Amino acid sequence: MTKSELIEIIARNQTQLAYKDVELSVKALIEQMAQSLSSGERIEIRGFGSFSLHFRPPRVGRNPKTGESVSLSGKYVPHFKPGKELRERVNEAISK
Amino acid sequence: MALTKADIAETLFQELGLNKREAKEIVECFFEEIRMALERGEQVKLSGFGNFDLRDKSQRPGRNPKTGEEIPITARRVATFKAGQKLKARVESYAGSVK
């Protein structure tokens, strides 16, 4: 499922809203989540999961082509931890 | 403070002029449809953010950390998230300490 397919499904469910409003809402929602993580703020969605940042310490990497070593500075990477409901629903779906 | 569904609904109300009930419903629907797609075994791709994928894990030996007793961890399906290039680039430069 892609973002545009998700927008279509929501628009079909929320008939009181114009397609354009749903589209703008989904885009604003995703932008707010991205903005939150890029400013170091966690996201916590009950029953879905939480997004946080994990720190990757500085390391010496290698250019795979030339074998030359390059020092890489520490950085943050996004991390997602599925919530209980999502974990259970995804797993139960296969045991049925 | 972490970002919650209520915060997102508030933004949709403030910035897009949806009424509070519509804003709340759309946020709820967004996460529910993603859960439903994953439940169906479908990958979810949100461009500009990242992909939610499914992984089937086979059974592996585990241990009760309290008693040390060996118990198998059953085969299961798990949802994973892989951040997209755009999100990674935005987050990478974050310099402050994580709140």
Side-chain angles (χ1 to χ4, degrees):
Chain A
M1 181 169 78
T2 61
K3 180 159 69 181
S4 48
E5 285 165 352
L6 177 58
I7 292 168
E8 274 170 42
I9 296 173
I10 300 174
R12 259 184 268 137
N13 290 348
Q14 307 286 316
T15 45
Q16 78 281 13
L17 287 170
Y19 180 86
K20 194 77 201 157
D21 286 333
V22 175
E23 191 182 15
L24 290 173
S25 298
V26 168
K27 288 182 176 166
L29 192 161
I30 292 171
E31 174 53 28
Q32 196 181 6
M33 300 214 308
Q35 182 56 48
S36 176
L37 284 176
S38 11
S39 61
E41 190 184 27
R42 296 167 50 82
I43 306 170
E44 282 178 15
I45 310 294
R46 172 86 36 109
F48 185 81
S50 58
F51 298 85
S52 58
L53 299 186
H54 280 186
F55 184 65
R56 295 278 176 266
R59 64 187 178 91
V60 178
R62 242 169 230 292
N63 180 329
K65 258 194 199 138
T66 63
E68 210 179 324
S69 37
V70 270
S71 65
L72 301 166
S73 48
K75 62 171 184 179
Y76 285 91
V77 292
H79 176 78
F80 174 66
K81 185 170 188 283
K84 187 164 183 279
E85 187 190 339
L86 179 62
R87 264 198 330 263
E88 288 174 354
R89 284 174 61 180
V90 160
N91 192 41
E92 274 160 24
I94 49 162
S95 45
K96 269 177 205 158
Chain B
M1 256 304 280
L3 183 77
T4 62
K5 284 193 291 192
D7 297 324
I8 302 170
E10 183 63 23
T11 302
L12 300 184
F13 166 70
Q14 299 276 355
E15 287 176 15
L16 293 170
L18 304 188
N19 70 41
K20 293 212 172 181
R21 185 183 47 79
E22 289 166 344
K24 195 165 171 269
E25 273 180 26
I26 215 164
V27 174
E28 203 57 61
C29 194
F30 174 85
F31 292 106
E32 178 56 18
E33 290 301 335
I34 297 176
R35 276 191 298 245
M36 276 171 34
L38 293 171
E39 221 175 338
R40 290 194 296 272
E42 220 181 290
Q43 178 199 38
V44 178
K45 303 198 282 189
L46 302 177
S47 73
F49 194 69
N51 297 352
F52 294 92
D53 297 301
L54 295 159
R55 291 181 78 96
D56 287 316
K57 307 269 204 176
S58 45
Q59 181 178 309
R60 62 190 169 93
R63 232 171 240 291
N64 179 331
K66 261 197 196 132
T67 64
E69 189 194 353
E70 244 188 79
I71 27 168
I73 297 168
T74 55
R76 62 194 61 201
R77 176 174 283 176
V78 294
T80 61
F81 173 71
K82 193 161 184 293
Q85 284 305 320
K86 208 171 135 197
L87 179 63
K88 274 192 201 162
R90 284 176 74 174
V91 160
E92 203 166 303
S93 55
Y94 176 68
S97 58
V98 175
K99 282 169 224 162

